[in-house]
Amino acid sequence: MRSVSYIQCMALEFSRSLFLQAVCLRGVDNDTLNELVVGDTNTKLSMYKNDDSGPWLTCSCQGMLTCVGVGDVCNKGKNLVVAVTAKVWFHLLDLTPGKTLDATGHHESLLGEEQHPVFKQHIAANTKVMLISDINGGGCCQLVTSKKPKTAEADTSSELAKKSKEVFRKEMSQFIVQCLNPYRKPDCKVGRITTTEDFKHLARKLTHGVMNKELKYCKNPEDLECNENVKHKTKEYIKKYMQKFGAVYKPKEDTELE
């Protein structure tokens, strides 16, 4: 007896966190073939095509992606990509190749290009699930969304709030470590950190303090974002904070963060 396996496995290049509803397998460029669409918690939308391990196309959205879908939402005979973020932004992408031809006589390829939404707007908060289908049997597609029950802004048990804090804490921790590394060098003149234990203690303390400061300015925990503005403020704050210790950082003199 001979056994034959028709299962073909492949691995994709993807190392970020995602929500279960932020994955969709459907044709996005209207070439009759399916593509895999994946949205992550770092605002990036990635499209995978054929058997390539890397993304075919990418798009940066405003906020962490909670759900994605593909369908003829405009009822024009072609599929569009729909992406919704925790910052209540609705993104619409048209990935159909242009009608112009390249030098070989084929349609111009979008391969490797960073895509941009053709339309975006604010929608209801806490969108968790979406469905693109002919709901009423009228021959046209509708976009139906479902959201979680309304919660208080300070409700830290919210799944989105937890995920947002987790992502922010991780990114900010890595950035603070980069900012503190120069203070470990022997030739550091101000606030030199002499032990690994002191370095870890200070990195944890600063990460926690910065996150608490940012939470005070955010109306919703989901709005936490480790962007360039936050990084700049954090870098300047660390520089000013370390100056108060003189030549060498002393944990005993390490007071509460202002």
Side-chain angles (χ1 to χ4, degrees):
M1 179 182 292
R2 185 180 66 167
S3 61
V4 180
S5 175
Y6 294 97
I7 300 176
Q8 182 178 2
C9 298
M10 64 178 296
L12 302 178
E13 297 175 2
F14 191 88
S15 59
R16 299 173 294 277
S17 301
L18 55 84
F19 288 97
L20 293 178
Q21 298 298 330
V23 180
C24 181
L25 181 64
R26 257 195 110 174
V28 302
D29 60 352
N30 301 286
D31 63 352
T32 71
L33 300 177
N34 286 335
E35 287 79 36
L36 179 65
V37 185
V38 183
D40 63 44
T41 55
N42 288 339
T43 77
K44 184 71 72 173
L45 187 66
S46 303
M47 277 68 70
Y48 295 85
K49 188 177 182 67
N50 300 325
D51 56 355
D52 296 332
S53 60
W56 164 54
L57 296 172
T58 59
C59 176
S60 295
C61 301
Q62 291 184 261
M64 66 171 67
L65 289 148
T66 56
C67 56
V68 299
V70 178
D72 187 11
V73 290
C74 293
N75 293 289
K76 293 185 177 181
K78 64 179 181 180
N79 286 343
L80 300 175
V81 179
V82 181
V84 177
T85 69
K87 289 191 173 182
V88 298
W89 276 103
F90 168 94
H91 303 75
L92 195 63
L93 290 89
D94 184 357
L95 302 181
T96 305
K99 294 182 179 180
T100 56
L101 303 180
D102 58 21
T104 63
H106 295 88
H107 288 294
E108 292 183 342
S109 174
L110 298 173
L111 179 61
E113 297 181 7
E114 174 74 13
Q115 301 301 300
H116 303 282
V118 296
F119 176 79
K120 64 180 181 180
Q121 72 172 42
H122 276 289
I123 61 172
N126 297 321
T127 300
K128 186 67 176 175
V129 181
M130 74 166 64
L131 173 65
I132 304 173
S133 182
D134 182 5
I135 304 300
N136 57 8
C140 294
C141 287
Q142 293 88 33
L143 172 64
V144 181
T145 62
S146 174
K147 62 180 182 177
K148 294 182 68 177
K150 200 170 184 180
T151 56
E153 292 181 353
D155 184 9
T156 55
S157 65
S158 163
E159 181 181 354
L160 290 179
K162 285 184 178 180
K163 183 68 70 172
S164 180
K165 288 182 179 180
E166 177 186 333
V167 171
F168 183 87
R169 184 184 293 109
K170 181 179 179 180
E171 293 181 356
M172 181 51 65
S173 176
Q174 293 173 348
F175 179 72
I176 286 178
V177 167
Q178 293 177 11
C179 292
L180 289 179
N181 276 332
Y183 294 94
R184 303 189 70 181
K185 295 181 179 179
D187 59 349
C188 178
K189 303 299 183 182
V190 178
R192 181 164 62 89
I193 304 173
T194 56
T195 68
T196 302
E197 290 75 15
D198 290 347
F199 182 86
K200 291 181 179 179
H201 164 77
L202 187 55
R204 286 193 298 266
K205 182 174 182 177
L206 288 171
T207 300
H208 181 73
V210 170
M211 188 172 77
N212 284 341
K213 282 179 175 289
E214 289 302 312
L215 280 171
K216 292 180 181 179
Y217 296 105
C218 291
K219 293 183 179 180
N220 298 295
E222 294 90 341
D223 292 335
L224 271 178
E225 185 177 359
C226 189
N227 54 38
E228 292 304 316
N229 181 46
V230 173
K231 288 181 179 180
H232 176 72
K233 291 190 299 181
T234 300
K235 187 175 182 179
E236 291 299 314
Y237 175 75
I238 291 176
K239 181 179 179 181
K240 181 179 178 182
Y241 184 76
M242 297 303 291
Q243 287 176 346
K244 71 178 185 178
F245 295 104
V248 178
Y249 169 73
K250 302 178 182 65
K252 293 182 180 179
E253 299 177 6
D254 194 354
T255 57
E256 292 299 320
L257 299 176
E258 297 177 358

